[in-house]
Amino acid sequence: MSDSEEDGHDRHMKIAVLGDGASGKTSLAIRFAQEAFGKQYKQTVGLDFFLKRITLPGNMNVALQVWDIGGQTIGGKMLDKYIFGAQGVLLVYDITNYQSFENLEDWLSIVKKVNEESETQPLVALVGNKIDLEHLRTVKADKHLRFCQENGLSSYFVSAKTGDSVFLCFQRVAAEILGIKLNKADMEQSQRVVKADIVNYSQEPVSRTINPPRSSMCAIQ
């Protein structure tokens, strides 16, 4: 079953993005939703929300609600509510920061705890960010892959700065959740590298609308 563009109906999907602060979660979400990159680091407090519509094979329209959860909220009271109901979870770490990789066990345990009584479990993917800094890597690829194998996770390496494999990551996660197979052409097109534009989001007003327009963001404190 698929929805055509003429129908105007989207499949809605919640994707929660988790991981330590400064691992690049917000940059990853902005790169995917707005195809932009901001050099200035600003810690996410609570939650940032992004919306991006994509089309999967079979003319399937999917509205991805990306929940960028602040890295400092690992013990926060609202964390369970932020994760609850997500069909997909991206566990993000910085390949140049070994501590951000070690802390993934804690993030994953929270996801399991939130969903332990749920009939359906979210698709969880491990995302190694900042591959543009390969020369500074402290987390070897085999450790990344071993963690995926031990916990049954999907595996991705991306760069929020250059855009390398970012769209592919979200596209494949959405497709896997819906049981849609991507062909080689679909995946090759998604791996294009997007020029890193510098955008200072701290200078822009923050919208608090409940229904954000296409590829937009609102912050929840």
Side-chain angles (χ1 to χ4, degrees), residues 59-84:
N59 230 11
M60 172 75 74
N61 297 324
V62 184
L64 294 183
Q65 302 169 357
V66 182
W67 294 53
D68 168 29
I69 301 172
Q72 80 287 353
T73 58
I74 193 166
K77 296 179 179 179
M78 294 296 293
L79 187 56
D80 289 2
K81 292 181 174 61
Y82 292 159
I83 298 173
F84 183 78

Side-chain angles (χ1 to χ4, degrees), residues 124-137:
V124 183
L126 180 61
V127 182
N129 188 30
K130 305 187 183 181
I131 58 172
D132 54 291
L133 301 176
E134 179 66 32
H135 58 294
L136 299 176
R137 175 190 284 272

Side-chain angles (χ1 to χ4, degrees), residues 88-156:
V89 175
L90 302 186
L91 293 180
V92 182
Y93 74 96
D94 175 357
I95 67 167
T96 72
N97 182 341
Y98 195 81
Q99 187 62 50
S100 71
F101 178 78
E102 284 197 322
N103 291 341
L104 291 173
E105 290 279 5
D106 293 333
W107 289 108
L108 184 57
S109 67
I110 292 173
V111 174
K112 291 179 178 178
K113 181 181 178 182
V114 171
N115 294 282
E116 62 185 358
E117 296 181 2
S118 176
E119 293 182 0
T120 57
Q121 297 296 317
L123 172 72
V124 183
L126 180 61
V127 182
N129 188 30
K130 305 187 183 181
I131 58 172
D132 54 291
L133 301 176
E134 179 66 32
H135 58 294
L136 299 176
R137 175 190 284 272
T138 60
V139 182
K140 293 183 179 180
D142 61 344
K143 284 186 174 293
H144 170 109
L145 295 175
R146 189 179 305 122
F147 188 84
C148 289
Q149 292 170 354
E150 291 174 350
N151 296 284
L153 313 181
S154 300
S155 169
Y156 299 94

Side-chain angles (χ1 to χ4, degrees), residues 188-205:
E188 286 179 347
Q189 184 179 3
S190 301
Q191 293 192 69
R192 69 190 187 280
V193 176
V194 184
K195 182 179 178 182
D197 298 314
I198 301 174
V199 180
N200 183 1
Y201 287 93
S202 63
Q203 300 298 318
E204 299 181 1

